[in-house]
Amino acid sequence: GRGVYFGKQHDRTVEYWQRYYAYLEEKGYDPLAEERVECCSFYNPKTGERMDWNVRALTSSGKLLDMYIRAGAEASAVNRTSGAAAIPMDDLSEYLGENPAASAQMIRTSLRDAATAFAEAHPDFIVGIDLTINMRGEVVLFEANAGHVGGLQTMSSIQTGRIGGRC
């Protein structure tokens, strides 16, 4: 989440972002501009506010180790570094609104299948992948982190009950 900026969030012009992109290239960075993925509906069960969310899945040796949800304010960076909540996958139905049980099972299965396929295709690395379900119900993988992979401590905390799923 470091160095991630949202063009729409900062209310800047296209020209501003073109200059910023050129500046980063000039400084030796390899900037990446991508369209923001609009995730399927996800609501804070306490306030009813819409949230943005994604899943961090950890893979190693060709296997999916585990996954958890990261959720934060709508149109914000959604990662633990930026203060996103860590929510156990078992609590997903509480955040989905209408028909949560059926939706939660379908979403969990889709995400697990995609993460497992990624793990099998990249068995030689420990990888933290970030994925979500878009508004059309499709799994979208938008980042793969190898090397220093965040999420292990959060998963451990979720599994031992030190982090709950409430926002």
Side-chain angles (χ1 to χ4, degrees):
R2 293 180 192 95
V4 174
Y5 297 97
F6 299 106
K8 194 172 186 180
Q9 178 185 13
H10 295 289
D11 198 29
R12 307 279 192 199
T13 65
V14 170
E15 292 77 21
Y16 170 87
W17 291 108
Q18 288 172 335
R19 285 193 312 274
Y20 185 64
Y21 190 93
Y23 169 81
L24 291 174
E25 282 186 316
E26 181 182 296
K27 296 295 181 185
Y29 293 97
D30 188 16
L32 172 67
E34 61 184 36
E35 182 178 347
R36 182 169 177 78
V37 175
E38 189 173 348
C39 56
C40 71
S41 300
F42 195 84
Y43 302 94
N44 184 320
K46 289 184 177 180
T47 67
E49 291 178 68
R50 191 175 189 308
M51 303 173 77
D52 275 347
W53 67 283
N54 61 58
V55 169
R56 169 54 63 97
L58 292 175
T59 69
S60 178
S61 302
K63 298 192 182 316
L64 171 63
L65 301 178
D66 206 351
M67 303 185 300
Y68 67 93
I69 301 163
R70 304 180 303 181
E74 189 173 17
S76 67
V78 181
N79 56 54
R80 298 290 291 153
T81 304
S82 299
I87 301 168
M89 290 298 292
D90 289 343
D91 292 352
L92 178 62
S93 61
E94 295 177 36
Y95 294 82
L96 294 178
E98 296 180 17
N99 197 10
S103 297
Q105 184 58 38
M106 180 197 71
I107 288 171
R108 274 194 295 270
T109 300
S110 296
L111 292 167
R112 186 172 294 114
D113 290 350
T116 299
F118 182 92
E120 290 170 353
H122 304 280
D124 298 329
F125 301 97
I126 296 175
V127 180
I129 59 173
D130 301 336
L131 49 149
T132 195
I133 302 287
N134 68 17
M135 295 299 281
R136 293 183 302 277
E138 302 162 331
V139 175
V140 178
L141 171 74
F142 57 90
E143 186 174 34
N145 304 281
H148 179 70
V149 176
L152 288 171
Q153 184 175 3
T154 300
M155 279 185 189
S156 174
S157 296
I158 287 171
Q159 290 172 354
T160 60
R162 292 192 304 259
I163 291 181
R166 307 289 182 255
C167 291

